[in-house]
Amino acid sequence: MKSQYYPPRFGDDKFHCIQCQVFANQTWHNVFVEKIGPSVFNASRCAHCNKITYWYNKSIAWPDNSPTEPIHPDLPADCAIEFEEARNIFSRSPRAAAALLRLCVQKLLPHLGEGGKNINDDIKSLVSKGLSPLVQKALDYCRVVGNNAVHPGEIAINDTPDVAQKLFSMINFIVEDRISRPKEIDQLYSSLPDDARKQIESRDKKS
C-alpha cells in the first residue's frame, strides 16, 4: 500500500528528500554568498542520504528535480508519460503541469472501464457502478483543477502551486484504489487451493 508523501517544504524538519525520496529528518543551514548581501540562500541536509538540497528565496534551487510525489508503479505506461512530464516541468510551470495531469486522468479512465472522451461523463458512469465517494472526489479534484489550469482567472495555479501539487497525490490515490488493490486481492485469491476456489465458485452459482 502506498504511503503518505510529504513534499519538501522550506523550514520543515522532516519531509521526503528530493534526492533519495526517503522520508527523513532534515537539518537546515544558512549559506553565505559573497557580495550578494543578506543571505537568501539556505541548505537542507537529509539524515538518510546525507545529500544537500539548496534553496533560494524559500524555493528549491538545486537539484533541479520537482518536489512532487513520485509516480505510482501501477500507473499504466500510456498515462505515465504525462505524469512524468508534469513532474519535470512542475517547478517552472505548475499551471502547465496541472493541464498535463488532467490529460493523464483522461487517459487513465479507459483503464477503469470507461470511454476516456469526457471525464465528467466517465465519473458519472463510475459513480452509477458503485464508485467509492472518496475516489469520486479525487477524480473530480483532478478534473476541476486540471481543467481550470488552462482557463486563466479561475484558479491561479502559478500563485498557489500547492493546489496543482495535490494532483500528483490524487492520481496516485486513484491508481492505488482502482488498480493496485484489486490486483493484490486477485493475486491472493488465485493463490488459494483449486478445490477451495471451485467450492467458492459453486457456492456463488447456487446463490
Side-chain angles (χ1 to χ4, degrees), residues 10 31 43 46 64 78 85 95 100 105 142 145 199:
F10 182 80
V31 177
C46 174
D64 188 23
D78 61 327
E85 186 176 350
R95 182 168 168 264
L100 278 168
V105 171
C142 296
V145 172
Q199 288 176 2

Side-chain angles (χ1 to χ4, degrees), residues 20 30 39 44 50 57 70 85 108 122 139 142-143 193:
C20 69
N30 292 324
S39 178
S44 58
N50 205 38
N57 275 344
E85 186 176 350
L108 176 62
D122 286 349
L139 282 166
C142 296
R143 176 181 65 85

Side-chain angles (χ1 to χ4, degrees), residues 121-142:
D121 289 345
D122 286 349
I123 295 173
K124 181 179 179 181
S125 174
L126 286 168
V127 169
S128 71
K129 298 173 184 176
L131 182 71
S132 159
L134 283 176
V135 180
Q136 172 257 307
K137 290 176 181 178
L139 282 166
D140 275 320
Y141 182 92
C142 296

